[in-house]
Amino acid sequence: MKISGHRSHTVSVKPDLIATSTLTVKTPRRGFFDITAEARDFLHEAQAAGGALTLFVRHTSASLTIQENADPDVLTDLMDALDRLAPENGGWIHHSEGPDDMPAHIKTMLTSSSLQVPVENGEMMLGTWQGIYLIEHRARPHRRDVVLQFVGSAAH
């Protein structure tokens, strides 16, 4: 089936900027933690114009996602769904770091350790209801590092 659609004009940039920073997030518990503002601040500090923002979490029991930022019930339901997919009492062999560790690894594998967001005119091209979240899959507090890297053109 052929679809019809409209594509915007093509914007080309000549990459002349690579900027990198590490965001450290102290997570108090399992859950979704909005890091959109921190990513936006990074782009402004880097004086980014057009290109791509990559985010990468340096852990195997936490992950990243782009998700709805309007109704908090969405995040609650998503956490419940992940818990059903990888329950603590799933009969896992690996349990030396606690009963929530192996489910955390599975949840990370099901979600993502990295994201890429297009940037135009120094702003992430997220949709109206989209936010960037660090997902903590462990029950106890952790210190998580998220590497932010922009590749593209600098604002002049």
Side-chain angles (χ1 to χ4, degrees):
M1 177 173 167
K2 186 176 179 176
I3 63 165
S4 63
H6 174 73
R7 186 176 56 79
S8 70
H9 69 283
T10 301
V11 176
S12 298
V13 298
K14 184 176 182 180
D16 61 359
L17 174 65
I18 298 174
T20 307
S21 182
T22 300
L23 169 65
T24 300
V25 179
K26 293 180 180 177
T27 58
R29 61 181 164 12
R30 181 179 297 139
F32 286 75
F33 301 93
D34 191 340
I35 60 170
T36 311
E38 288 83 356
R40 189 175 291 116
D41 291 347
F42 164 71
L43 290 173
H44 291 145
E45 182 181 314
Q47 298 181 344
L53 171 64
T54 300
L55 299 95
F56 175 75
V57 63
R58 298 177 58 183
H59 305 278
T60 59
S61 57
S63 57
L64 298 167
T65 192
I66 294 175
Q67 210 30 264
E68 180 175 327
N69 64 2
D71 184 351
D73 289 345
V74 170
L75 302 178
T76 300
D77 287 343
L78 289 171
M79 189 58 74
D80 288 347
L82 287 171
D83 288 342
R84 284 195 300 272
L85 289 169
E88 285 190 17
N89 60 355
W92 316 114
I93 295 170
H94 172 75
H95 56 77
S96 59
E97 295 177 57
D100 66 339
D101 189 49
M102 190 60 220
H105 292 299
I106 295 168
K107 293 169 187 177
T108 297
M109 186 177 70
L110 293 172
T111 51
S112 186
S113 59
S114 67
L115 300 172
Q116 190 167 42
V117 181
V119 175
E120 188 174 279
N121 298 319
E123 299 295 329
M124 293 178 285
M125 296 181 71
L126 294 171
T128 302
W129 308 114
Q130 289 182 318
I132 301 170
Y133 292 90
L134 169 67
I135 313 171
E136 177 59 67
H137 299 297
R138 300 294 305 274
R140 63 181 177 83
H142 280 81
R143 181 176 172 258
R144 303 300 190 175
D145 292 327
V146 179
V147 178
L148 307 167
Q149 187 170 68
F150 173 78
V151 177
S153 63
H156 297 285

